[in-house]
C-alpha cells in the first residue's frame, strides 16, 4: 500500500470509531444490530466491498443496507459477490476482523496484510473498482448508506453507484446483470419480470383456459417495507392479468410490526390489516421487510386471525410440480435437484420424493442452499420460511432455446420449452426474490386453474413445533449431516434419538442459531400434542447438557 492510500484510510476511518464493548460478527446474512452502532461497521464493509471488486478484476460488487425482518430500529449490511450471490465465505473472517478492529492503525494493518495475502492491487495505479449501493426503507438507511459510500471512496480508484431504495433481490439482480453485460436498471428488472409473467399467462393452453374459473384477487401484506412501493409498479404493469390488492405498503404503519412474512410464518396468524370477517378464504400473501421472502395464507374463520399457512415448502412443491410437468412434455431426462434444510416439513420431502425428485439437504442459510442448487440443470431451493428460487444451468437454457426455435419439435414441446425459459427469466437467478416468486405462484395457479386451497391440498403438513433454548454457550453444540445430528457435546444425540423414538413419525433436531444467541429445537410428530411434547422434552435435555 502506498503512503497516499494509507493516509486516506487512516484519516477517514478516524471519523468512524467502532462502538465500544460490542463484538460484531458477519453471521448468516451479514451484520445486523441496532442502527445507532453500525456507522463504523458499514464504513468498513464499504472498504471491504471495494477490495473485493479489486480482487475480482474490477467486477461490480453489491452492498445492501437492510435488516430484513428485524425491527425498524435495527439495520444491517450484506455484500453481494460478482455472481449476484452472497459474499464468498472465505472473506467472512476478514469482514469480522475489520468490523472489530479497535482503532484506525489496527484497521489499516489488517487491510494491508489481507491485501498482500490476497494479492489485491492497492497501489492506486490502474486500479478500478465499482460498488452498487442499495438500501431498504429504514429511516437509518440514508446515513448508513453515506457511511458505506465514504468507506468505498477511501480505496483509491473505487467508485460507488447509489441505486437508492431497492429490495435486496433487486440489488443482487443488478450486480449479476451488470457483470454479465446485460441491461441492469430497475426499469429492466420490472420489464423482465412482467414480460416473463405475461409469457407464462399467454402460454396457458386454450383448452384448460376455458375450463378454469377466474381465480380471484390476491391481497399482499408488504410488511410496511420496500416491497409495497415495488409491487405497486408491477401491479400497474400487470393490471390486465393479475388482480392485486396491496396492504401494509409502508405509507402508515411500522415496518415488520405485527406484519410481514416472518411474523406470519413464525406466529401462524394473520398480519395486521387483515380481518376475519371480510378476508376469509381470500388468497393472501406476505412479503418480508426487504422483499426476499414470501409466504401465502388464507384466513380460516370469522372473528379471529387464525390462518392456513402455505409456506416455503409448499411454494417449492408447486414449482417442482409445474417444472416436472413441462419436462415430461419435453420427454427428456433433465437433472433436477431440490434443496431443502432440516426445517422443511417431512410431509413436503415425502411429497417431493414421491414425485420422483432428488431431494438434498444443506445447513440453514441461503448461501448453502444456493450453492448446492447451482450443481443441477434445474436447481430448486427454498427454506421453509419462504426464501428461495429456481436456478437454470446455461447448458439447459441453450438446449431449451434450441427446442423453442425448432418447429420440428412440435408445438407442445416448443411451448413447454418456452414456459421453462420464461420461468428462468422470471425467477431471480442471483438470490431468492419475493416479487418474482409471487408472480410465478400466480402464473402457475392460473395455468392449473387452482385455488389456493387446492394448492394447499398437495400434501398435509406434519404437526411441528420450534423452540428456542437460552444456554451458556451455544457454540458448544456442534452438528453434522446438514445439522440433523449432534456431534458435541457427547451423549446429547443419543438422548435426542431415544426421546424421538417414542413418537410415531417423530423427527427432532437441535442446532445453534446463526443469527440469535439461542439453540433452536425443531420437532415433528403425528399429532400437535406429540410434536409439542417432543420439542419440550428435548429442550429440557439441551438445558441439562449445556446449562
Ligand atoms: C429456522 C430459521 O428460520 N432460520 C433462519 C435464520 O437463521 P438461524 O441461523 O436459524 O438463526 O435466519 C437466516 C437468515 O435470515 C435464515 O436464512 C434462516 O432460515
Ligand atoms: Mg429478508
Amino acid at each position: 500500500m502506498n503512503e497516499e492510500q494509507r493516509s486516506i484510510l487512516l484519516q477517514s476511518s478516524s471519523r468512524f470509531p467502532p462502538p465500544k464493548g460490542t463484538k460484531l460478527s458477519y453471521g448468516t446474512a451479514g451484520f445486523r444490530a441496532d442502527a445507532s452502532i453500525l456507522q463504523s461497521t458499514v464504513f468498513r464493509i464499504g472498504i471491504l466491498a471495494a477490495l473485493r471488486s479489486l480482487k475480482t478484476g474490477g467486477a461490480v460488487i453489491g452492498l445492501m443496507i437492510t435488516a430484513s425482518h428485524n425491527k425498524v430500529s435495527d439495520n444491517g449490511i450484506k455484500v453481494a459477490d460478482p455472481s449476484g450471490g452472497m459474499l464468498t465465505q472465505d472473506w467472512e473472517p476478514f469482514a469480522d476482523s475489520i468490523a472489530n478492529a479497535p482503532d484506525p492503525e489496527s484497521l489499516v494493518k489488517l487491510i494491508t496484510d489481507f491485501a498482500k495475502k490476497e494479492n489485491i492491487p492497492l497501489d492506486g495505479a490502474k486500479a478500478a473498482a465499482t460498488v452498487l449501493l442499495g438500501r431498504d426503507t429504514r429511516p437509518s438507511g440514508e446515513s448508513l448508506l453515506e457511511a458505506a459510500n465514504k468507506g468505498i471512496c477511501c480505496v483509491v480508484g473505487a467508485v460507488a453507484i447509489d441505486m437508492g431504495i431497492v429490495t435486496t433481490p433487486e440489488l443482487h439482480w443488478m450486480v449479476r446483470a451488470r457483470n454479465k453485460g446485460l441491461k441492469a436498471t430497475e426499469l429492466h428488472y420490472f420489464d423482465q419480470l412482467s414480460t416473463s409473467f405475461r409469457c407464462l399467462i399467454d402460454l396457458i393452453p386454450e383448452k384448460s383456459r376455458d375450463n378454469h374459473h377466474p381465480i380471484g384477487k390476491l391481497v399482499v401484506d408488504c410488511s410496511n417495507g420496500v416491497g409495497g412501493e415495488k409491487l405497486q409498479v408491477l401491479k400497474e404493469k400487470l393490471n390486465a392479468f393479475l388482480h392485486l390488492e396491496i396492504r401494509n405498503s409502508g405509507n402508515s404503519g411500522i415496518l415488520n410490526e405485527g406484519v410481514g412474512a416472518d411474523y406470519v410464518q413464525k406466529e401462524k396468524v394473520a398480519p395486521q390489516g387483515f380481518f376475519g370477517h371480510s378476508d376469509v378464504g381470500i388468497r393472501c400473501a406476505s412479503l418480508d421487510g426487504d422483499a426476499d421472502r414470501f409466504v401465502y395464507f388464507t384466513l380460516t374463520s370469522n372473528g379471529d386471525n387464525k390462518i392456513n399457512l402455505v409456506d416455503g415448502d409448499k411454494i417449492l412443491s408447486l414449482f417442482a410440480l409445474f417444472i416436472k410437468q413441462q419436462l415430461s412434455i419435453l420427454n427428456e431426462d433433465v437433472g433436477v435437484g431440490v434443496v431443502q434444510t432440516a426445517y422443511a416439513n417431512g410431509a413436503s420431502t415425502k411429497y417431493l420424493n414421491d414425485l420422483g425428485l432428488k431431494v438434498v439437504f444443506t445447513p440453514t442459510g441461503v448461501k448453502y442452499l444456493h450453492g448446492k442448487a447451482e450443481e443441477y440443470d434445474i436447481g430448486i431451493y427454498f427454506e421453509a420460511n419462504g426464501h428461495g428460487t429456481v436456478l437454470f444451468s446455461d447448458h439447459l437454457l441453450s438446449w431449451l432455446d434450441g427446442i423453442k426455435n425448432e418447429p420440428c419439435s412440435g408445438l407442445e414441446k416448443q411451448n413447454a420449452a418456452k414456459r421453462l425459459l420464461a420461468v428462468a427469466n422470471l425467477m431471480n437467478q442471483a438470490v431468492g426474490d419475493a416479487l418474482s416468486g409471487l408472480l410465478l405462484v400466480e402464473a402457475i395457479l392460473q395455468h392449473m386453474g387452482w385455488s389456493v386451497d387446492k394448492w394447499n391440498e398437495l400434501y398435509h403438513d406434519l404437526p411441528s413445533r420450534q423452540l428456542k433454548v437460552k444456554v451458556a454457550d451455544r457454540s458448544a453444540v456442534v452438528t453434522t449431516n446438514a445439522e440433523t445430528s449432534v456431534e458435541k457435546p457427547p451423549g446429547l444425540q443419543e438422548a435426542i434419538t431415544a426421546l424421538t423414538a417414542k413418537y410415531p413419525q417423530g423427527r427432532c433436531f437441535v442446532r445453534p442459531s446463526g443469527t440469535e444467541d439461542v439453540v433452536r429445537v425443531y420437532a415433528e410428530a403425528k399429532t400437535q400434542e406429540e410434536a409439542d411434547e417432543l420439542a419440550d422434552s428435548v429442550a429440557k435435555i439441551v438445558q441439562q447438557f449445556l446449562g
Side-chain angles (χ1 to χ4, degrees), residues 207-219:
K207 202 166 55 199
S208 58
R209 202 187 294 257
D210 294 343
N211 293 337
H212 292 165
H213 304 292
I215 64 167
K217 72 172 173 184
L218 168 70
V219 186

Side-chain angles (χ1 to χ4, degrees), residues 5 46-54 121-122 124 126-131 148-161:
Q5 174 68 84
I47 299 175
L48 177 145
L51 296 179
R52 184 82 191 129
S53 178
L54 289 178
L122 259 187
K126 289 194 205 80
T130 309
V131 181
N149 190 22
K150 292 249 162 61
I152 295 160
C153 297
C154 271
V155 176
V156 176
V159 289
I161 305 175

Side-chain angles (χ1 to χ4, degrees), residues 116-142:
K116 206 168 182 182
K117 185 182 119 224
E118 292 279 330
N119 239 332
I120 298 170
L122 259 187
D123 48 20
K126 289 194 205 80
T130 309
V131 181
L132 289 195
L133 281 169
R135 64 181 176 99
D136 69 16
T137 53
R138 285 161 205 272
S140 56
E142 203 171 344

Side-chain angles (χ1 to χ4, degrees), residues 339-341 362-363 365-373 381-383:
V339 190
Q340 297 191 301
T341 73
T362 70
V366 165
K367 59 188 174 191
Y368 300 112
L369 289 111
H370 191 97
K372 191 72 199 168
Y381 73 87
F382 264 88
E383 292 191 304

Side-chain angles (χ1 to χ4, degrees), residues 33 70 85 140 152 208 226 252 267 295 297 306 326-327 333 343 345 355 361 366 372 424 450 470 495 497 525 545:
N70 289 38
S140 56
I152 295 160
S208 58
V226 58
S252 54
E267 307 294 326
V295 292
F297 64 93
K306 295 224 169 62
Q326 303 317 308
L327 289 174
D333 197 14
Y343 290 101
N345 195 280
L355 272 185
F361 289 87
V366 165
K372 191 72 199 168
W450 281 5
K470 273 258 171 216
T497 308
F545 271 79

